[in-house]
Amino acid sequence: MLKIRYTELFHLTGDRPLDELAGVCIDGIHYYDFKSLIFLTNTDLASLIDLIKCSLEHGVEVRFVNVNDGIKRKIIAMGLDRILSCD
Amino acid sequence: MKKYSFVLKPMFFIFNLLFASWLVIKIENIQPSDVSKKKSLFVKEDIKVENSNFAKTHFENIYSDYKTGIVDSATFDRELRNFLEVESHSRTGSK
Amino acid sequence: MEPFYFSKFESRRPYKPIPDNKYRTLLFQFTGIVSIALGFAYLNWRWRHSLNPDAMWFAILLASAETLSFLSTILVVINFWSNKDAEKTPPLHFLSEIEETFGRPDRPVKIDVFIATYNEDVELVRYSIVDAKKLNYPFADVKIKIYILDDGRRDGRDSAKQNMKKVAEEEGVGYLIREHNEGYKAGNLKNALENTEGDLFAILDADTRPFPNFLVNTIGYFRKRDVAWVQTPQWFYDTTPAQKLSYVINNKLKNLGAENKVIANVIDFLFGKITFNEDIFGNDPRLFYEAILRKRNFYNAAFCCGAGSIHRREAVMSLAIRDFALQIKKLEAYLAGKKRNKTEIKNERKALLLKQEIIPFKFHASEDIYTSMMLHGDTLNRWQSIQHPDVECRMLSTQDLDSWIKQHERYAAGSLDIAFKDNPVFMKGLSLGQKICYFNTIWSYFAPVWLLVFLLSPMIFFFTLSLPIKAYSFDFFKYFLPFQIMNTITITLGCWGIQTKRGDQYYVSSFWFMLMALFSVIKGEKVKFNVTPKDKVLALNKNFKHILPHLVIIALSLCGIVYNLIIISMGSHPSVSGFAANTFWCLLNMIDLSVMIRAAYWTPDSTLEQSISK
């Protein structure tokens, strides 16, 4: 399971504690919990896209859960709804 | 003065335009008959017709301009009138 | 620090911007409208009553060139219509002042300063680093980080190259490299954004030396949440100084061994006030930044010009992400249209996802204007741009004609390439004013088409004795003169306070390389990104090819004049008035063309203390 630290993934926010994004692997799909994330900037979204690309290179599918409505709306507005899976 | 030096170039250009336009219009309005009629380009008054031979040449020039189409009928009429007026004044004067 | 040729210009200070004046603006608008009306009247008469039926090909050619040139006049009047400087505000402190935090903890804003370099002398770049380190900011907890973006990879691996990394370490600034040069400067900036974390970042070239208040005077604009970037005027502090004519004459006499103190004083008295060769390369971009770009604030159409700009990271990332998503969507739509099955679409999508990059600045030779167009056209965010009026940094200009032409060729080819591939006139999201302003920029690069006609027309007359118009009658001047005079007054008002002489000369003189740039883009040649040399480069032998067309035109013009004078003396010239008109026109052309010839042969004079410096 790919471990993702907040500061590595969202290195631009920089003010998060050095802990990992909670995640679990089920049937080969890695799920990451966005429960504690209030908002994502465009730069954060770029980092997420890089994460998806990195995972795809390893043949791993990534999905995000407990994504709040604000972040979902942002993802849809940026046209990333089919790239960042967060149903 | 340096503050307004940017105005020099457009002023020079406009002056250039005006001078060139004046010169071209001046040249455009020169006719062959003017050679016998005026002392120079920059003098408005016609030469006084004192010599009958000169008057004859001048008359021939006016007629030739009209015949060759250099001047139109209105201009020809005006030139002829001026010529006859000057001729009659010079004859009156000489008497 | 090591002295360079530009060290003697250290004391030069930039101009102050011309204050806005609403009465002058109103007067400009009035004369502009009158000028356009007179222009229409003139062209109407030209097309309907003045074409010479005995030389129709020539008549139509010239009338067409005049019509195309008149479109420029209209575009300029629209561009200069009004001024709308953004309100200056004090510098920022916290992140919450520039964007919504959405519940995130607030913190001081972070600012990065990027100095992009490739092959410039490292000691020259050190000047920029030292000045960047002197940047003021009123809040000590606002972190300003300076990074050298070295696309030359001069980190000591190649002993033949200078060591940029060492200079960065000596100065205590960051150093970033990448192992390829894809995307030129845009790619370099992409790499920088991936490795830094500033909320705002300033872009400086290797030779851009910011003044201490560069950030203090500009960061405040970002309080407006929709401001994507702020561009400051690029000012070149090393433009060639004016030379006194008296000095040149006395120098020549000295070289001939005819020096005499009395004669020298007389010459100084007679010619001392006459100067020439000031900014011989026409490098001063004040006309562009202060007249053209500044007035585009009115339409929110001032585009980024690279060095001396400050950007909001979120804005460029927004563009990058949406472009990325769009490419994926386009592929999906294409594949769906080809009736591929879901598995095939999924596989192709995955392949593109892996291949596609997130590109903040468009990979293009003119990445600045291209990215600006995209940001202006962003209907979701409606980004604003600001052209700041004051000069906040200084830069070095090209010091020889060959370098100057290479630089401007890139600008021309880059803008024309955008016009053919992604024309702003048809771009969704741009407002009408923005479309007109971008079109104005692109249209200006089509100028060589009509300029060539204007330059060749007098010669066509001289050698064929055919006039393009029926006659230089009173009617002609009745229409021509008022239009030209009003046009000149309008431009003077629009460019109030700015010397336009050099700009006008180079506008005409640049016809050849701009024509070549146009041809290369039409042929589909890839636009090359040439790094402009910033050190002094003397390449006299390279310059000749640039001025050969100019010399040919001048030579042919002089031959034409002599030929016509011979015919006039024989009394068989069909139009002496035409000769006079075309000679005047020709002389003006030759004066304009001569500037590039003088630039080609200009050399720096070592005894510059005799010259006037600003």
Side-chain angles (χ1 to χ4, degrees):
Chain A
M1 179 91 189
L2 277 172
K3 289 184 197 254
I4 303 165
R5 291 213 169 84
Y6 277 120
T7 48
E8 283 165 2
L9 178 62
F10 307 117
H11 64 282
L12 289 145
T13 57
D15 42 26
R16 296 197 174 276
L18 193 69
D19 56 14
E20 291 167 9
L21 201 58
V24 64
C25 181
I26 299 171
D27 293 337
I29 299 172
H30 291 206
Y31 294 88
Y32 291 97
D33 189 357
F34 270 21
K35 191 169 60 183
S36 53
L37 288 175
I38 306 161
F39 181 76
L40 292 178
T41 62
N42 292 323
T43 316
D44 295 337
L45 285 175
S47 300
L48 275 183
I49 292 170
D50 281 341
L51 164 71
I52 300 290
K53 283 161 64 112
C54 186
S55 306
L56 275 177
E57 273 174 11
H58 288 90
V60 169
E61 193 181 330
V62 170
R63 289 188 191 172
F64 306 103
V65 295
N66 294 325
V67 180
N68 72 35
D69 288 338
I71 294 176
K72 272 190 193 166
R73 274 198 298 273
K74 172 117 186 173
I75 287 172
I76 292 166
M78 298 303 279
L80 294 173
D81 41 303
R82 290 180 58 76
I83 298 166
L84 302 177
S85 177
C86 49
D87 290 327
Chain B
M1 199 53 218
K2 198 171 157 62
K3 195 177 155 194
Y4 293 103
S5 61
F6 67 92
V7 177
L8 287 173
K9 195 252 169 188
M11 276 173 60
F12 173 72
F13 181 68
I14 291 174
F15 168 75
N16 235 350
L17 274 177
L18 291 170
F19 177 71
S21 306
W22 171 81
L23 187 64
V24 172
I25 291 175
K26 202 76 186 165
I27 295 172
E28 189 78 5
N29 288 332
I30 293 172
Q31 292 147 27
S33 58
D34 288 344
V35 172
S36 53
K37 204 168 129 189
K38 294 181 197 234
K39 263 193 183 164
S40 85
L41 271 178
F42 302 101
V43 169
K44 279 191 186 163
E45 303 84 29
D46 294 348
I47 295 173
K48 282 198 173 98
V49 181
E50 292 160 356
N51 185 313
S52 63
N53 277 339
F54 186 83
K56 179 171 169 277
T57 313
H58 185 52
F59 178 76
E60 277 171 0
N61 284 339
I62 293 171
Y63 184 70
S64 153
D65 281 353
Y66 175 63
K67 200 174 163 193
T68 54
I70 292 171
V71 303
D72 56 24
S73 57
T75 312
F76 172 65
D77 189 59
R78 192 180 64 240
E79 291 286 309
L80 202 53
R81 253 182 228 287
N82 285 341
F83 172 74
L84 291 170
E85 224 173 85
V86 167
E87 256 302 280
S88 85
H89 282 150
S90 71
R91 281 182 196 285
T92 313
S94 66
K95 277 183 186 170
Chain C
M1 286 193 288
E2 196 179 302
F4 281 85
Y5 77 91
F6 52 81
S7 302
K8 60 177 86 67
F9 303 121
E10 279 298 305
S11 60
R12 281 188 179 174
R13 284 295 168 264
Y15 57 84
K16 291 267 175 250
I18 304 291
D20 206 14
N21 182 310
K22 67 177 179 187
Y23 299 110
R24 191 173 58 240
T25 303
L26 279 170
L27 188 59
F28 165 81
Q29 290 168 354
F30 172 71
T31 57
I33 292 172
V34 170
S35 189
I36 290 173
L38 289 171
F40 274 117
Y42 169 69
L43 284 175
N44 174 59
W45 175 82
R46 280 286 278 121
W47 282 105
R48 292 175 65 199
H49 302 287
S50 77
L51 299 180
N52 182 4
D54 298 328
M56 205 45 122
W57 63 275
F58 186 19
I60 290 175
L61 183 68
L62 184 59
S64 303
E66 286 180 89
T67 307
L68 293 174
S69 174
F70 178 60
L71 180 57
S72 282
T73 302
I74 298 173
L75 291 169
V76 163
V77 171
I78 295 172
N79 191 144
F80 287 15
W81 191 252
S82 187
N83 199 13
K84 193 181 168 192
D85 287 335
E87 195 190 328
K88 290 177 186 170
T89 52
L92 312 162
H93 193 174
F94 293 103
L95 181 66
S96 55
E97 291 178 78
I98 62 166
E99 60 186 61
E100 287 288 340
T101 53
F102 293 102
R104 291 174 291 164
D106 203 0
R107 56 163 173 77
V109 74
K110 293 178 192 169
I111 304 170
D112 290 332
V113 176
F114 297 151
I115 300 176
T117 176
Y118 178 61
N119 59 3
E120 295 84 1
D121 190 316
V122 299
E123 292 304 320
L124 186 150
V125 184
R126 194 192 290 270
Y127 276 86
S128 304
I129 299 171
V130 165
D131 280 2
K133 282 164 66 177
K134 290 179 189 166
L135 285 169
N136 290 331
Y137 210 76
F139 307 109
D141 54 352
V142 170
K143 289 191 178 56
I144 298 171
K145 290 187 182 172
I146 303 165
Y147 296 93
I148 305 300
L149 314 182
D150 186 7
D151 246 5
R153 292 182 284 285
R154 294 169 295 172
D155 54 1
R157 67 179 80 172
D158 184 349
S159 56
K161 291 184 184 177
Q162 291 178 306
N163 196 329
M164 189 72 245
K165 186 177 179 184
K166 186 163 166 257
V167 170
E169 283 167 356
E170 282 169 6
E171 296 297 335
V173 300
Y175 179 77
L176 297 171
I177 59 167
R178 53 182 182 145
E179 293 304 324
H180 55 87
N181 291 100
E182 196 196 347
Y184 316 117
K185 189 175 168 186
N188 199 4
L189 290 167
K190 173 181 176 296
N191 181 59
L193 288 170
E194 286 170 357
N195 290 283
T196 57
E197 50 181 52
D199 306 300
L200 304 167
F201 61 93
I203 298 174
L204 305 178
D205 277 353
D207 62 319
T208 310
R209 298 172 59 186
F211 289 120
N213 287 334
F214 173 71
L215 293 177
V216 165
N217 293 340
T218 53
I219 292 288
Y221 289 122
F222 289 95
R223 268 197 186 80
K224 276 193 74 187
R225 302 291 166 85
D226 52 5
V227 169
W229 77 89
V230 174
Q231 177 68 52
T232 64
Q234 293 176 356
W235 175 65
F236 301 110
Y237 67 112
D238 64 338
T239 52
T240 60
Q243 289 178 286
K244 282 189 196 178
L245 183 58
S246 59
Y247 167 71
V248 172
I249 297 172
N250 282 328
N251 220 28
K252 288 259 185 276
L253 289 174
K254 187 179 168 186
N255 290 340
L256 290 169
E259 196 181 5
N260 180 299
K261 202 170 174 184
V262 174
I263 295 174
N265 286 339
V266 168
I267 289 172
D268 201 42
F269 174 75
L270 289 171
F271 302 113
K273 292 263 187 267
I274 302 172
T275 61
F276 66 104
N277 281 354
E278 186 173 4
D279 189 21
I280 189 64
F281 297 107
N283 279 318
D284 186 4
R286 187 178 179 187
L287 176 62
F288 173 70
Y289 285 101
E290 189 150 2
I292 298 170
L293 211 59
R294 185 178 168 193
K295 290 192 165 88
R296 288 190 185 183
N297 280 332
F298 182 68
Y299 301 101
N300 183 31
F303 56 84
C304 169
C305 301
S309 59
I310 307 102
H311 298 258
R312 184 191 294 270
R313 178 187 284 266
E314 279 292 284
V316 290
M317 292 313 295
S318 156
L319 184 72
I321 290 167
R322 292 180 71 205
D323 193 51
F324 177 88
L326 185 66
Q327 297 309 316
I328 307 292
K329 279 202 164 110
K330 272 184 185 170
L331 175 71
E332 285 175 341
Y334 170 74
L335 292 172
K338 291 277 180 197
K339 299 205 192 317
R340 301 277 179 89
N341 62 46
K342 276 186 180 171
T343 312
E344 281 176 332
I345 293 176
K346 190 179 169 185
N347 288 337
E348 296 262 5
R349 200 164 143 278
K350 180 184 165 184
L352 182 64
L353 207 59
L354 286 170
K355 188 180 140 204
Q356 189 71 19
E357 300 246 21
I358 296 171
I359 301 172
F361 288 94
K362 296 292 275 186
F363 280 7
H364 192 269
S366 293
E367 83 284 346
D368 33 34
I369 186 173
Y370 206 163
T371 306
S372 302
M373 255 169 52
M374 297 291 142
L375 281 167
H376 276 141
D378 183 348
T379 47
L380 179 68
N381 295 292
R382 290 261 163 247
W383 295 114
Q384 299 271 321
S385 62
I386 291 175
Q387 174 62 33
H388 178 69
D390 300 275
V391 172
E392 301 291 352
C393 56
R394 49 187 166 162
M395 299 174 66
L396 298 175
S397 60
T398 49
Q399 293 292 303
D400 70 284
L401 187 66
D402 188 57
S403 305
W404 188 92
I405 286 188
K406 282 196 171 102
Q407 185 182 59
H408 285 78
E409 235 170 3
R410 174 165 70 85
Y411 296 160
S415 299
L416 287 165
D417 190 62
I418 294 169
F420 284 109
K421 291 194 178 133
D422 221 338
N423 200 308
V425 174
F426 308 115
M427 190 179 283
K428 284 181 190 161
L430 291 177
S431 66
L432 180 61
Q434 287 168 335
K435 287 185 183 188
I436 290 173
C437 288
Y438 278 113
F439 179 67
N440 188 13
T441 297
I442 287 162
W443 188 245
S444 67
Y445 289 111
F446 282 92
V449 171
W450 56 87
L451 281 172
L452 191 62
V453 175
F454 292 155
L455 288 168
L456 294 179
S457 291
M459 287 193 294
I460 294 173
F461 167 77
F462 289 147
F463 292 108
T464 64
L465 301 179
S466 303
L467 277 176
I469 59 171
K470 281 179 188 162
Y472 284 102
S473 59
F474 180 75
D475 265 355
F476 171 78
F477 291 105
K478 187 173 82 180
Y479 287 100
F480 175 76
L481 266 187
F483 167 53
Q484 284 293 330
I485 291 172
M486 191 52 79
N487 194 35
T488 304
I489 292 169
T490 303
I491 299 298
T492 305
L493 286 167
C495 303
W496 190 261
I498 304 166
Q499 288 281 0
T500 59
K501 182 182 86 176
R502 220 29 119 215
D504 292 342
Q505 287 173 332
Y506 268 92
Y507 175 70
V508 173
S509 223
S510 299
F511 80 98
W512 187 252
F513 82 78
M514 280 172 63
L515 200 61
M516 295 299 107
L518 180 59
F519 284 155
S520 77
V521 170
I522 290 171
K523 280 193 287 185
E525 285 172 18
K526 193 173 177 213
V527 181
K528 290 177 217 144
F529 187 98
N530 298 311
V531 176
T532 311
K534 303 291 183 185
D535 325 65
K536 197 181 268 305
V537 173
L538 289 178
L540 296 172
N541 55 331
K542 285 187 195 171
N543 292 339
F544 183 73
K545 66 177 184 223
H546 298 305
I547 56 165
L548 184 57
H550 303 62
L551 292 169
V552 167
I553 290 176
I554 290 176
L556 283 174
S557 302
L558 290 171
C559 288
I561 291 171
V562 168
Y563 171 58
N564 276 245
L565 284 172
I566 292 171
I567 300 175
I568 289 170
S569 67
M570 285 160 46
S572 52
H573 198 287
S575 175
V576 179
S577 58
F579 168 73
N582 279 280
T583 301
F584 266 102
W585 185 2
C586 201
L587 288 173
L588 286 174
N589 286 345
M590 287 199 282
I591 290 169
D592 288 342
L593 291 174
S594 72
V595 75
M596 204 172 261
I597 296 169
R598 281 187 285 135
Y601 290 101
W602 180 86
T603 54
D605 195 319
S606 55
T607 53
L608 265 176
E609 57 267 21
Q610 291 293 329
S611 302
I612 300 167
S613 46
K614 285 183 195 175

